[in-house]
Amino acid sequence: MSFLKSFPPPSPEDGLRQQQPDTEAVLDGKGLGTGTLYIAESRLSWLDGSGIGFSLDYPTISLHAVSRDLNAYPQEHLYVMVNARFGEEEPKELKETPVAEGEEDEDSDEDIEPIAEFRFVPSDKSALEALFAAMCECQALHPDPEDEDSDDYDGEEYDVEAHEQGQGDIPTFYTYEEGLSHLTAEGQATLERLEGMLAQSVSSQYNMAGVRTEDSIRDYEDGMEIDTTPTVAGQFEDADVDH
Amino acid sequence: MEVSHSVKERTIAENSLVILLQGLRGLVTTVDLRDETVARGRVDNVDAFMNIRLAEVTYTDRQGQQVQLDDLFVTGRNVRYVHIPDDVDITTTIEQQLQAIHRVRNFGSEGKGRREFPTRKYK
């Protein structure tokens, strides 16, 4: 297949989300061999054992799915439909194909819109859900550049945050549940450590402004994270407080 | 009721009919794709760019053949129609989604602005 080429596998710096070894790639029913599937934020790649393979850009991917219907295809797999042509010198997207009459509206070319069907068949079928989910997340990072409706909300004309802030102070804050899901594993570990520090930092007698004691942490714990840890441990311990 | 984590996506949804599609979460719906194929399944998620995730899908290809797919993700660009189930009240669905967005946006403020030490009733 002439579209196969050699390139280094994506790394975490490329936004690599999932990699699945021992995965067969099939294009339009023709097997390409067994290799490793890489799902990265920038593109989807597959490389066989000798380092040869191909990449797919998310804007060219029309849809993807998990297929477990063995009547349709004898193995459970990740199905990816791509809006491009393969098997020639280079994958040609519809845009690059010269269009008669100079029309730029792609919708009028639906009859000859190229479709390529990829199937990625991992030996470990239990990985299919995670691969599907990773692809969904990466696809969401590549919204359609030709979508005019959503453009109205970009750029300086429509400052989304300023608009929302006019209606309440909150938008730059996350609720606890919302915010937690945005933290990486490292972030969550840091959050746990800081919360542990807060719990230990000051004894329960003290409840000065800016310092949260063990009891008050429980009462006021609502996810509105305010950094109230004293910069010097025990800084307020000699304060004479008795509210 | 789930609302997008992203301020930008909430704003887009609030100002377009995508918000109606987001209200179809959990319902079985038919989606006609741009390439004349059809997907029918339970709506898992619709984002502000009209990317649609369906579960337990019957997918009909251009030749009319049907296959079952466990999960399907269609990019917004490739959606032609989304069939709204007959028993869905469109106005009510839109209003409920707007309320969900406003609840997230105004969390904790109750119109008084952020207070550093909320009262005990906040959890």
Side-chain angles (χ1 to χ4, degrees):
Chain A
M1 293 265 170
S2 53
F3 69 95
L4 294 171
K5 53 188 167 73
S6 178
F7 57 94
S11 62
E13 289 80 47
D14 299 315
L16 180 64
R17 296 281 193 105
Q18 287 278 328
Q19 88 185 44
Q20 190 63 27
D22 210 17
T23 298
E24 191 198 352
V26 181
L27 168 59
D28 291 334
K30 285 182 235 175
L32 302 173
T34 300
T36 302
L37 176 66
Y38 300 91
I39 300 176
E41 290 172 7
S42 52
R43 60 184 60 82
L44 184 79
S45 307
W46 180 88
L47 287 169
D48 70 12
S50 60
I52 295 178
F54 60 91
S55 287
L56 301 173
D57 288 327
Y58 291 104
T60 64
I61 297 178
S62 305
L63 61 86
H64 62 276
V66 171
S67 171
R68 297 192 205 269
D69 181 355
L70 301 179
N71 292 323
Y73 191 83
Q75 293 209 65
E76 299 182 353
H77 63 277
L78 183 71
Y79 173 83
V80 179
M81 182 191 288
V82 178
N83 181 206
R85 211 170 264 127
F86 287 84
E88 300 168 11
E89 281 309 304
E90 281 177 9
K92 284 197 175 68
E93 293 183 31
L94 184 61
K95 276 185 262 237
E96 294 169 8
T97 308
V99 180
E101 294 119 45
E103 253 189 56
E104 289 181 15
D105 183 6
E106 284 191 22
D107 287 338
S108 68
D109 284 35
E110 272 177 71
D111 290 341
I112 55 169
E113 193 172 277
I115 297 273
E117 295 183 314
F118 284 91
R119 297 177 201 270
F120 296 102
V121 193
S123 56
D124 178 7
K125 308 298 186 230
S126 67
L128 284 171
E129 284 303 317
L131 296 173
F132 176 83
M135 278 194 70
C136 290
E137 288 166 21
C138 295
Q139 274 283 48
L141 299 171
H142 297 261
D144 183 7
E146 293 186 8
D147 183 355
E148 286 163 15
D149 290 341
S150 299
D151 281 351
D152 294 343
Y153 309 104
D154 276 349
E156 290 162 29
E157 284 177 19
Y158 194 93
D159 187 334
V160 166
E161 299 231 335
H163 175 78
E164 286 209 345
Q165 273 172 354
Q167 301 184 341
D169 284 344
I170 302 309
T172 50
F173 283 79
Y174 288 122
T175 62
Y176 185 68
E177 293 79 19
E178 275 189 330
L180 202 57
S181 69
H182 282 262
L183 291 175
T184 60
E186 202 192 332
Q188 289 189 23
T190 303
L191 178 63
E192 280 174 33
R193 182 171 56 81
L194 288 175
E195 295 204 59
M197 279 167 62
L198 278 172
Q200 292 166 18
S201 63
V202 185
S203 73
S204 55
Q205 292 168 296
Y206 299 128
N207 187 11
M208 280 182 65
V211 176
R212 295 199 292 175
T213 66
E214 281 182 43
D215 285 330
S216 66
I217 285 170
R218 275 196 293 281
D219 292 337
Y220 299 142
E221 186 73 49
D222 67 339
M224 306 277 256
E225 294 299 313
I226 303 159
D227 185 9
T228 56
T229 316
T231 47
V232 175
Q235 187 175 6
F236 300 114
E237 275 183 323
D238 59 353
D240 185 12
V241 176
D242 191 12
H243 295 304
Chain B
M1 183 158 299
E2 279 180 55
V3 165
S4 168
H5 294 313
S6 143
V7 166
K8 176 180 170 181
E9 289 200 35
R10 285 199 294 263
T11 305
I12 292 173
E14 190 184 24
N15 287 284
S16 83
L17 281 175
V18 143
I19 199 170
L20 169 60
L21 301 186
Q22 291 176 333
L24 299 180
R25 246 187 225 107
L27 304 180
V28 175
T29 307
T30 300
V31 179
D32 291 1
L33 274 52
R34 211 159 60 109
D35 63 358
E36 329 255 311
T37 61
V38 179
R40 179 168 175 81
R42 195 185 66 242
V43 177
D44 236 355
N45 191 54
V46 179
D47 69 14
F49 310 105
M50 219 187 296
N51 296 322
I52 300 176
R53 185 169 157 168
L54 298 173
E56 291 161 37
V57 181
T58 301
Y59 179 76
T60 309
D61 69 16
R62 285 188 279 198
Q63 285 75 41
Q65 279 189 306
Q66 294 195 331
V67 296
Q68 303 300 318
L69 299 167
D70 271 31
D71 282 290
L72 172 71
F73 179 99
V74 184
T75 48
R77 182 166 194 246
N78 289 285
V79 173
R80 177 181 286 156
Y81 298 132
V82 177
H83 295 243
I84 310 292
D86 290 339
D87 52 0
V88 166
D89 182 316
I90 290 178
T91 313
T92 304
T93 303
I94 293 177
E95 282 171 353
Q96 284 171 346
Q97 288 297 122
L98 283 172
Q99 280 168 21
I101 288 178
H102 292 152
R103 270 200 297 274
V104 168
R105 183 175 294 151
N106 295 319
F107 174 82
S109 74
E110 306 241 282
K112 293 177 196 148
R114 183 188 130 210
R115 289 180 290 164
E116 193 162 351
F117 291 98
T119 57
R120 282 169 189 250
K121 73 180 177 201
Y122 280 93
K123 283 280 164 235

